[in-house]
Amino acid sequence: MYGWIWRTLPGNAWVKLLISLLLVLAIVYALFTWVFPWAEPLLPFSDVTVDQENVTNTTGPGGAPRPAGATGGTSPTALPGGLPG
């Protein structure tokens, strides 16, 4: 297919390269302008749910967010940042 396009384009190699680049840019523009906005509602990427049963207190003292993997409470052997001692 690409060989057929290359042979069909007029001009020497530099002109064909320029026309090919313009064709690629036109296709990308068409995709971002019409195809992707049309297909976006059909895709499940924005259908995100969070299981509320497993969510506990996700904030630390003073309402600050806890580091990832930190468990609740403080222990005398815990290091700063919620790492076990």
Side-chain angles (χ1 to χ4, degrees):
M1 179 175 103
Y2 298 113
W4 175 81
I5 294 171
W6 187 258
R7 287 188 306 271
T8 306
L9 292 175
N12 60 18
W14 289 107
V15 173
K16 289 180 180 186
L17 185 64
L18 180 64
I19 294 171
S20 298
L21 180 63
L22 291 174
L23 284 173
V24 168
L25 290 175
I27 291 169
V28 169
Y29 177 78
L31 286 172
F32 277 98
T33 303
W34 295 295
V35 177
F36 295 157
W38 167 82
E40 192 269 333
L42 305 173
L43 300 174
F45 298 130
S46 62
D47 188 18
V48 179
T49 58
V50 177
D51 185 13
Q52 291 296 325
E53 294 176 12
N54 294 330
V55 176
T56 58
N57 185 6
T58 58
T59 58
R66 287 190 183 158
T71 58
T74 58
S75 70
T77 61
L79 297 174
L83 299 174

